[in-house]
């Protein structure tokens, strides 16, 4: 620890032992016991006040301090905790003083460490929020959109004033890739900060403890008593959430006006890839459950980011391979390979990102893009002869190795050399500009930052200036992936040139040899990439299933559960079997499939309804992919009846579809169909893969079944998925969205845009919506019924006056108190199901088109 004799300064902060500060933050208290969690050895100075303890604390039995039951629960939690990095969590524990606390416990270096915080909201709400946030990221297929949406989601979900996502470069410097912020704050988007802003010991802790919160940047540390034990050892708080924070970091935050912060580690392949950094301009305390939700979100983001990075590498490797294959095929038939290489120079730019390329071949120069002056490249070629030695050579700071390059660093600060012959004389050069040549401070130039005792070094603008000094005369680095592509290109090109120079007779055989060689060069890379995307959630994927299909299947299963949950809530603890079957098979009815549904009015309780939602979803999806619903001639019959004891028997029969074969291996979906009803309901299931069509039978025990009072519903007008409607192209149509929940609005925007609809505006209030309508006239509108303290009635009246078709959207079972004057307006239920929504909009537009045409001929 830094003592009063050795205070923390800018000169020694990189050596500050931040894992043993000897103090904690004040929004909780800490107790440390022996490894068996029986005798209290240390405590934070605020423990007596916070826990309502009178008298001594150290040396006291833990059970006497907090109660026998709580002590027993803590020891059990420690017994089940396998890693200090994953503290066991106990929510809403009532202590002897009657106060409720959330408790995190972990064992580290022989100490049992307990952190007590006043109980927050229950765990369910934050965890459901994390689940919702994760669901919105799971379908994103680009890193740029992933980091952009992730910042926006964290800001909305956790309420921080600013959320940034940093990426750390090879040198440890950070770049702000995305930002979501309060409108009045200056932007840090795109800015760079030096590696010294986050010392190495802090980066090591970010890997071990993936979430870090400062609830008040002005806090006074609460000391541990005693700071050192009898042997003179401090308490290691590496995995403690309440661990105190470096005064250097707190001063940096205060200079920015930041009152509270949170950081979530983004870890890819065991390396700290970056951070989600959250700033708030006042105090902010997150409950333990909220922190766990944020931690879960960060871990999913890390997994998904890793999957997308590997996917992009696979695409780049495949593009490089295709480009080289095309060149090799072309090179087989040419007479002058040197002219061909010069002619194809622009195509080599597709292999590796660069600002300029040059080819030095037989003493002749060919150059494109941003390169050194022509007379300088001859000198570079002579320099390359001394460093390449038949292998690729790269540097991101050419001036360090070749001082003359400093004069043209703005055009070529970094260089990658690819030898084109076994003797070092011919070269392909890739050049990159100086990284900061065109980069200036993007924040508010008039912003004046406050400074503390350590001066203006601890401000964002000074950090940016130091980073610019650090990377002076330096380009973006050449990655290991780019070096491997360059080496593959070198091997291929050397082989081509060698074989041409030797004038081998069989040109076609040479091309096959070259291609095999290229395949071997790329083999390790491609194998690594093709071994990429494991399941992002715990359920295993089917053999050979692509990431897109897996995400689609997972999305469908979640949608089926969503349907079941929605019906259970609206139906007072269950739902009608007929409604469930109609909802799953409705989309196929609209496509003209031959479906036959027959059975009495049966009501399933919530458990059976949820189980059958998943089973029927799997059956429907399989039928659409492989069975009777996959072809025009296929037929599907679903029948159900009650036996004499009240059990419900369901028969699913497919005919006239493709020939059915028994699968050699059972995937998750097949196991779900076969085992869910027996395992979860104690019922029966039998699946027969008959060649003429699948036959599945299920028996649901009587205790889950009752007779529905209402008749079996027929397809209704508020279920557009089962309506036979004329196809209506939505591409190019325009829409207005009125929705006061941002996450739902984002979902809705993505659904509409995927169908080609242009969203003119997304309004959150009647005022914003009416203002948007004065500027543009949409083809259609989607109105949330309830908008916080107001409704969308005025908007609806305005749309009717302008003859613009629209639908109401609501999550309420009763229609959300829609006025009688709008009884004819269609209603879409939340959560949205994409095809149902789009079919409803198609029908609205088709009806309007028909109405307009009728008026024209009257």
């Amino acid at each position: 620890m830094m003592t009063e004799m050795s205070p923390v300064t800018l000169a020694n902060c990189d050596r500050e032992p931040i894992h043993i500060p000897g103090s904690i933050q004040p929004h909780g208290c800490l107790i440390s016991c022996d490894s068996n969690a029986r005798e209290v050895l240390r405590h934070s100075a605020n423990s007596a006040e916070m826990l309502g303890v009178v008298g001594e604390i150290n040396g006291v039995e833990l059970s006497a301090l907090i109660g026998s039951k709580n002590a027993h629960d803590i020891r059990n939690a420690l017994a089940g905790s396998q890693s200090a990095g994953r503290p066991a969590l106990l929510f809403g524990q009532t202590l002897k003083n009657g106060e409720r606390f959330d408790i995190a416990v972990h064992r580290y270096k022989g100490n049992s460490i307990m952190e007590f915080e006043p109980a927050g909201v229950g765990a369910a709400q934050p965890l459901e929020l994390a689940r919702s946030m994760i669901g919105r990221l799971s379908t994103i297929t680009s890193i740029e959109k992933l980091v952009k949406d992730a910042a926006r989601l964290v800001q909305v979900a956790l309420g921080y004033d600013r959320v940034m996502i940093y990426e750390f470069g090879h040198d440890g410097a950070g770049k702000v890739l995305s930002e979501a912020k309060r409108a009045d704050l200056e932007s840090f988007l795109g800015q760079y900060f030096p590696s010294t802003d986050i010392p190495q010991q802090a980066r090591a802790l970010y890997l071990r403890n993936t979430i870090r919160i400062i609830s008040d940047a002005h806090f006074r540390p609460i000391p541990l008593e005693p700071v050192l034990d009898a042997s003179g050892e401090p308490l290691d708080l590496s995995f403690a959430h309440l661990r105190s924070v470096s005064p250097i970091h707190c001063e940096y935050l205060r200079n920015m006006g930041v009152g509270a912060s949170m950081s979530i580690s983004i870890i890819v392949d065991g390396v700290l890839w970056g951070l989600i950094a959250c700033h708030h301009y006042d105090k902010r305390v997150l409950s333990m459950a909220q922190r766990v939700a944020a931690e879960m979100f960060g871990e999913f983001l890390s997994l998904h980011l890793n999957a997308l990075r590997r996917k992009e590498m696979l695409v780049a490797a495949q593009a490089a391979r295709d480009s080289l294959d095309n060149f090799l095929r072309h090179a087989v038939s040419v007479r002058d390979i040197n002219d061909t290489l010069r002619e194809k120079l622009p195509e080599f730019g597709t292999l590796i990102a660069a600002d300029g390329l040059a080819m030095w071949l037989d003493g002749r120069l060919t150059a494109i893009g941003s390169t050194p002056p022509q007379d300088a490249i001859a000198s570079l070629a002579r320099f390359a002869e001394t460093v390449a030695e038949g292998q690729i050579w790269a540097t991101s700071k050419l001036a360090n190795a070749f001082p003359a390059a400093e004069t043209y660093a703005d055009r070529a600060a970094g260089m990658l050399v690819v030898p084109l012959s076994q003797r070092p004389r011919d070269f392909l050069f890739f050049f990159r500009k100086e990284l900061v040549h065109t980069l200036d401070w993007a924040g508010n130039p008039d912003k004046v930052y406050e400074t503390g005792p350590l001066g203006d070094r601890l401000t964002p603008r000074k950090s940016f200036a130091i980073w610019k000094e650090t990377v002076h005369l330096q380009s973006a680095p050449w990655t290991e992936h780019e070096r491997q592509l360059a080496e593959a290109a070198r091997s291929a090109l050397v082989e081509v040139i060698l074989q041409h120079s030797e004038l081998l007779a069989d040109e076609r055989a040479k091309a096959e040899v070259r291609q095999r060689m290229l395949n071997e060069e790329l083999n390790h890379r491609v194998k690594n990439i093709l071994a990429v995307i494991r399941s992002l959630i715990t359920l295993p994927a089917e053999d050979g299933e692509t990431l897109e299909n897996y995400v689609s299947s997972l999305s469908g299963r979640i949608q089926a559960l969503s349907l079941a949950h929605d019906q259970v809530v609206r139906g007072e603890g269950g739902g009608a079997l007929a409604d469930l079957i109609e909802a799953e098979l409705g989309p196929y009815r609209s496509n003209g499939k031959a479906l036959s549904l027959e059975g009495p009015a049966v009501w399933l309780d919530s458990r059976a309804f949820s189980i059958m939602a998943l089973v029927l979803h799997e059956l429907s999806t399989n039928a659409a992919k492989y069975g009777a619903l996959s072809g025009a001639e296929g037929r599907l019959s679903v029948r159900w009846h009650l036996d004499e004891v009240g059990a419900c028997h369901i028969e699913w029969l497919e005919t006239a579809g493709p020939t059915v074969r028994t699968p050699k291996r059972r995937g998750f979906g097949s196991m779900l169909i076969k085992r869910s009803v027996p395992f979860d309901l104690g019922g029966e299931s039998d699946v027969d893969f008959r060649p003429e069509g699948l036959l599945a039978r299920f028996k649901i025990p009587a205790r889950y079944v009752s007779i529905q009072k209402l008749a079996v519903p027929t397809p209704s007008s508020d279920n557009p998925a089962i309506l036979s409607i004329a196809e209506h192209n939505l591409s190019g149509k325009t829409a207005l969205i009125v929705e006061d929940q941002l996450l739902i609005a984002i979902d809705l925007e993505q659904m509409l845009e995927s169908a080609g609809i242009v969203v003119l505006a997304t309004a959150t209030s009647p005022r914003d919506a009416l203002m948007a309508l004065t500027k543009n006239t949409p083809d259609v509108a989607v109105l949330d019924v309830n908008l916080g303290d107001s409704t969308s009635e005025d908007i609806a009246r305005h749309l009717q006056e302008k003859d613009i078709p629209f639908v109401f959207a609501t999550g309420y079972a009763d229609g959300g108190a829609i006025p009688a004057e709008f009884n004819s307006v269609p209603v879409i239920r939340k959560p949205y199901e994409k095809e149902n929504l789009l079919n409803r909009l198609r029908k609205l537009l088709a009806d309007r088109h028909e109405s307009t045409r009728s008026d024209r001929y009257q």
Side-chain angles (χ1 to χ4, degrees):
M1 287 172 296
M2 296 291 180
T3 67
E4 292 184 2
M5 299 298 293
S6 57
V8 183
T9 67
L10 288 174
N12 65 19
C13 66
D14 61 333
R15 301 186 302 277
E16 180 187 1
I18 56 178
H19 61 300
I20 49 172
S23 61
I24 65 168
Q25 298 182 59
H27 60 273
C29 66
L30 183 145
I31 299 290
S32 174
C33 296
D34 56 49
S35 62
N36 295 320
R38 296 194 178 277
E39 181 185 355
V40 177
L41 303 178
R42 277 188 258 219
H43 67 281
S44 60
N46 61 346
S47 297
E49 179 182 357
M50 185 167 283
L51 303 181
V53 176
V54 178
E56 290 295 325
I57 295 180
N58 291 345
V60 174
E61 282 282 325
L62 180 64
S63 57
L65 194 68
I66 63 173
S68 299
K69 180 183 181 302
N70 291 320
H72 179 266
D73 290 344
I74 286 174
R75 283 191 283 271
N76 281 345
L78 283 170
S81 177
Q82 298 183 0
S83 167
R86 295 278 188 185
L89 306 176
L90 302 170
F91 294 102
Q93 299 288 111
T94 301
L95 300 192
K96 294 173 69 175
N97 64 351
E99 298 293 329
R100 294 174 65 249
F101 286 85
D102 293 335
I103 308 173
V105 297
H106 69 279
R107 186 182 288 116
Y108 190 53
K109 293 186 176 180
N111 295 292
S112 298
I113 299 174
M114 287 140 270
E115 299 175 85
F116 297 79
E117 299 172 58
V121 297
Q125 181 180 350
L127 295 181
E128 177 59 28
L129 178 62
R131 180 177 174 269
S132 175
M133 293 165 67
I134 287 170
R136 281 167 172 75
L137 292 189
S138 62
T139 58
I140 294 177
T141 56
S142 75
I143 291 177
E144 181 181 4
K145 182 169 176 55
L146 180 69
V147 296
K148 179 180 178 181
D149 285 8
R152 193 179 181 192
L153 284 168
V154 171
Q155 188 201 24
V156 170
L158 299 180
Y160 282 91
D161 292 327
R162 185 199 303 271
V163 175
M164 299 171 286
I165 294 188
Y166 284 85
E167 178 186 11
F168 294 128
H170 71 293
D171 58 354
K175 179 184 179 181
V176 181
L177 294 184
S178 69
E179 178 184 55
K181 66 181 184 65
R182 214 174 63 197
D184 60 309
L185 297 177
E186 67 172 333
S187 175
F188 295 146
L189 181 64
Q191 294 305 141
Y192 289 81
F193 298 93
S195 60
T196 52
D197 272 14
I198 304 179
Q200 286 302 317
Q201 74 272 31
R203 293 171 190 258
L205 278 183
Y206 279 129
L207 279 172
R208 303 169 76 183
N209 197 346
T210 59
I211 188 165
R212 190 77 181 102
I213 287 182
I214 300 174
S215 298
D216 180 3
H218 296 81
F219 80 93
R220 290 181 178 274
I222 306 297
L224 298 180
E225 296 180 357
V227 173
L228 303 178
D229 64 11
S231 61
E233 288 296 316
L235 183 63
D236 193 322
L237 298 179
S238 294
F239 298 102
H241 159 70
L242 292 174
R243 173 171 49 85
S244 195
V245 185
S246 167
I248 298 286
H249 184 59
C250 286
E251 183 172 328
Y252 193 108
L253 294 176
R254 291 194 297 269
N255 289 347
M256 295 172 65
V258 173
S261 73
M262 177 179 71
S263 58
I264 306 170
S265 303
I266 303 175
I267 299 172
V268 175
D269 288 336
V271 176
L272 186 63
W273 181 92
L275 292 174
I276 304 174
C278 307
H279 289 172
H280 202 66
Y281 290 81
D282 199 353
K283 300 176 184 179
R284 184 161 187 79
V285 179
L286 293 189
S287 69
M288 188 177 292
Q290 288 174 311
R291 293 201 306 273
V292 172
E295 183 181 21
M296 291 170 57
F297 179 80
E299 291 182 354
F300 180 86
L301 176 65
S302 298
L303 287 170
H304 197 37
L305 175 66
N306 192 24
L308 293 183
R309 286 177 71 247
R310 292 179 180 273
K311 181 181 177 182
E312 288 187 359
M313 290 164 61
L314 173 61
V315 171
Q318 186 60 51
R321 175 175 177 170
D322 292 344
S323 179
L324 288 173
D325 282 349
N326 289 336
F327 174 78
L328 292 175
R329 284 193 293 268
H330 179 74
V332 167
S333 58
V334 301
R335 289 190 174 186
D336 190 332
I337 188 62
N338 288 358
D339 283 348
T340 299
L341 286 169
R342 295 187 184 98
E343 177 188 336
K344 297 291 185 181
L345 180 60
E347 295 184 14
F348 292 116
T350 64
L351 296 178
I352 298 169
D355 297 307
L357 288 87
M359 184 173 289
W360 184 262
L361 195 58
D362 277 347
R364 285 178 53 194
L365 172 66
T366 307
I368 58 173
S370 179
T371 64
Q374 186 169 338
D375 57 355
I377 294 184
S379 299
L380 281 175
R382 290 191 294 272
F383 168 72
E385 292 177 3
T386 66
V387 295
E389 299 179 347
Q391 299 295 320
I392 66 162
W393 183 85
T395 177
S396 58
K397 197 168 185 177
L398 181 58
N400 274 1
F402 190 69
E406 184 172 345
T407 60
Y408 48 80
D410 59 327
R411 301 167 61 180
M415 181 175 77
L416 186 151
V417 182
V418 179
L420 297 179
S421 56
Q422 290 184 325
R423 290 184 300 163
R425 64 179 185 186
D426 302 318
F427 302 98
L428 173 61
F429 298 98
F430 293 83
F431 296 105
R432 284 178 177 169
K433 295 180 181 179
E434 185 182 18
L435 190 60
V436 298
H437 178 59
T438 59
L439 280 180
D440 292 311
W441 174 247
N444 180 0
D446 301 321
K447 172 78 172 181
V448 177
Y449 292 98
E450 306 220 352
T451 58
L454 297 176
D456 70 347
R457 167 60 188 91
L458 298 181
T459 63
R461 192 178 304 159
K462 188 65 175 179
S463 288
F464 179 72
I466 291 174
W467 173 81
K468 288 190 72 169
E469 293 173 9
T470 303
V471 297
H472 180 55
L473 304 178
Q474 187 170 312
S475 75
W478 307 96
T479 66
E480 182 62 27
H481 174 60
E482 290 169 333
R483 291 169 186 260
Q484 290 180 7
L485 290 177
E487 178 59 25
R490 182 201 66 79
S491 299
L493 294 174
V494 167
E495 180 73 11
V496 170
I497 295 171
L498 176 64
Q499 292 191 6
H500 267 271
S501 66
E502 293 174 350
L503 299 177
L504 297 178
D506 190 352
E507 293 293 342
R508 182 169 297 178
K510 288 193 303 179
E512 291 176 356
V513 170
R514 290 194 294 272
Q515 187 157 338
R516 284 200 303 272
M517 180 277 301
L518 177 60
N519 289 343
E520 291 171 0
E521 290 289 341
L522 293 176
N523 184 46
H524 177 68
R525 191 70 186 163
V526 172
K527 278 185 177 180
N528 281 344
I529 295 172
L530 291 178
V532 183
I533 302 170
R534 295 187 305 174
S535 174
L536 297 181
I537 309 179
T538 56
L539 300 179
E542 304 285 351
D543 289 345
E545 190 175 19
T546 64
L547 175 61
E548 290 76 14
N549 286 340
Y550 173 65
V551 171
S552 177
S553 298
L554 181 60
S555 176
R557 289 164 185 157
I558 293 174
Q559 184 62 34
L561 282 174
S562 175
L563 169 69
H565 174 74
D566 188 50
Q567 177 60 35
V568 166
V569 171
R570 294 205 307 261
E572 298 180 354
L577 176 60
D579 288 346
L580 180 58
I581 296 173
E582 286 282 11
E584 286 296 339
L585 295 178
Y588 310 107
R589 187 192 295 278
S590 66
N591 292 332
K593 303 297 183 185
L595 304 177
S596 172
L597 312 179
E598 181 181 336
V602 171
W603 186 268
L604 303 179
D605 78 353
S606 59
R607 183 177 180 83
F609 195 89
S610 297
I611 296 300
M612 289 310 299
L614 284 174
V615 171
L616 290 169
H617 172 75
E618 294 298 329
L619 287 168
S620 319
T621 302
N622 290 345
K625 287 181 179 179
Y626 319 111
L629 299 183
S630 65
E633 303 299 323
R635 296 179 175 277
L636 171 61
S637 168
V638 184
R639 291 180 170 80
W640 62 95
H641 69 275
L642 300 179
D643 62 19
E644 61 277 5
V645 298
C648 181
H649 296 257
I650 303 171
E651 178 186 87
W652 176 287
L653 176 62
E654 299 179 31
T655 55
T659 302
V660 175
R661 294 179 176 85
T662 302
K664 295 180 180 179
R665 298 183 64 183
R666 297 292 174 88
F668 172 74
S670 298
M671 289 190 292
L672 191 149
I673 294 169
K674 180 71 176 174
R675 301 177 61 186
S676 291
V677 172
F679 186 87
D680 290 300
L681 304 178
E684 300 174 7
S685 64
D686 178 65
V687 182
D688 186 1
F689 294 93
R690 307 180 311 155
E692 63 272 22
L694 180 77
L695 172 61
R697 294 188 176 95
F698 306 94
K699 177 182 176 181
I700 303 174
R703 62 181 177 277
Y704 300 108
V705 180
S706 60
I707 300 296
Q708 188 180 1
K709 295 180 181 179
L710 301 177
V712 177
T714 57
S716 60
S717 60
D718 71 345
N719 190 351
I722 59 176
L723 293 170
S724 292
I725 62 173
E727 285 296 322
H728 196 94
N729 187 9
L730 296 176
S731 182
K733 298 298 182 183
T734 59
L736 167 69
I737 294 174
V738 182
E739 170 60 64
D740 64 337
Q741 295 292 321
L742 177 61
L743 300 182
I744 297 175
I746 293 172
D747 251 355
L748 188 51
E749 287 173 4
Q750 292 174 344
M751 290 180 187
L752 299 187
E753 289 169 354
S754 71
I757 296 175
V758 178
V759 178
L760 296 177
T762 299
T764 61
S765 67
R767 179 177 174 275
D768 292 345
L770 294 173
M771 184 174 295
L773 288 170
T774 64
K775 300 176 181 178
N776 296 289
T777 301
D779 294 314
V780 70
V782 180
L783 310 183
D784 185 10
V785 176
N786 293 296
L787 301 172
D789 296 333
S790 59
T791 70
S792 56
E793 292 178 28
D794 291 342
I795 310 168
R797 293 188 185 97
H798 187 80
L799 291 171
Q800 284 187 333
E801 290 171 4
K802 299 186 72 171
D803 195 26
I804 299 173
F806 63 93
V807 297
F808 282 123
T810 180
Y812 292 100
D814 60 357
I818 298 172
E821 64 183 291
F822 300 118
N823 282 346
S824 61
V825 177
V827 177
I828 296 290
R829 307 293 181 190
K830 296 181 184 179
Y832 296 112
E833 200 282 316
K834 179 178 175 182
E835 289 306 317
N836 287 357
L837 171 66
L838 296 180
N839 280 343
R840 169 53 68 194
L841 297 183
R842 289 189 184 99
K843 186 171 190 306
L844 267 181
L845 292 170
D847 289 347
R848 188 186 184 208
H849 175 75
E850 208 44 51
S851 173
T852 304
R853 188 171 63 174
S854 299
D855 292 344
R856 189 182 303 136
Y857 289 103
Q858 283 181 357

